[in-house]
Amino acid sequence: MKNTEQADLRQWFAGYVKSFYTADAEIQPKIVQKEEHSLIVAGLCRDLAVSLGLDAADVLLAEAVGLCHDVGRFKQATLYRTFRDHESVDHGRLGVEEMVAAGFADRLSAPDWKTLAFAVRWHNAVALPLAAGERLTLFGRIIRDSDKLDIYRVLPPDPPAAGCSPGLEAAILAGRSIDYQKVKTADDRKLVMLGWLYDIHYVWTLREIVGRGYVSRLLASLPPSPARPEICRIINGFTAAKLGCRP
């Protein structure tokens, strides 16, 4: 990606987001939150791409992916008044549709558009398509890691509440990520976010997650249960092993 192309994309993004500004007190905070999140994730994608040694053009492309990954959220919030995809629309797919409508399939080079569209389309999926190919998978992993890293900031854990569902506790103990649609309690959401750790691909990202205290805060916020000590041991052991240090 060229500097001029990224600048064009940023200018479009800023105007696009502002077109959804509203006096609606329920919707406007959602728009502002996702605008801030998108800008932060763009920077995280850039930093991760630099850590991977990507060339300047690909660093610009990674940053563009981060900026645009949640483009579908703005229309989703406005039309459906929710960020729940299963109750409204797949915001990854909607984001690609909005960028196509804005002409970016023609305004960018074919390889850059293919990569940008793929990363936006699949950033929120349970997993990336297995046959995606090395380059698409690379950018898919960059955005999925960076997105999760900032969501840990956006959604700090609440104090213990109704407890965790036993089946979800078992999934964490088995080293499996959790389908968000299985969440029944506020404490279940904490297990989902702990399960994300198993899906983090790059050591750089995991180091940031742990270093910013997100893992320790999640573990400290879990409600008392017979499984809690083992969950803490498993998660701390997993992150320590991935980072190459002792738990």
Side-chain angles (χ1 to χ4, degrees), residues 112-135:
D112 281 356
W113 167 249
K114 181 178 180 180
T115 302
L116 177 62
F118 174 87
V120 172
R121 170 65 184 87
W122 295 102
H123 81 277
N124 59 322
V126 175
L128 294 172
L130 293 176
E134 184 176 350
R135 182 168 176 79

Side-chain angles (χ1 to χ4, degrees), residues 90-139:
D90 183 318
H91 75 277
R93 184 174 62 249
L94 179 59
V96 174
E97 292 172 357
E98 292 297 283
M99 287 191 293
V100 168
F104 283 103
D106 299 318
R107 291 158 72 174
L108 299 175
S109 70
D112 281 356
W113 167 249
K114 181 178 180 180
T115 302
L116 177 62
F118 174 87
V120 172
R121 170 65 184 87
W122 295 102
H123 81 277
N124 59 322
V126 175
L128 294 172
L130 293 176
E134 184 176 350
R135 182 168 176 79
L136 296 183
T137 298
L138 168 66
F139 282 87

Side-chain angles (χ1 to χ4, degrees), residues 20 22 24-32 74 77-78 81-82:
F20 289 97
T22 175
D24 189 317
E26 179 184 350
I27 300 303
Q28 180 62 12
K30 295 180 185 293
I31 301 299
V32 172
F74 304 103
T78 301
R81 309 184 73 82
T82 183

Side-chain angles (χ1 to χ4, degrees), residues 50-66:
V50 169
S51 80
L52 296 173
L54 301 190
D55 65 29
D58 279 350
V59 170
L60 287 172
L61 181 55
E63 193 172 2
V65 167

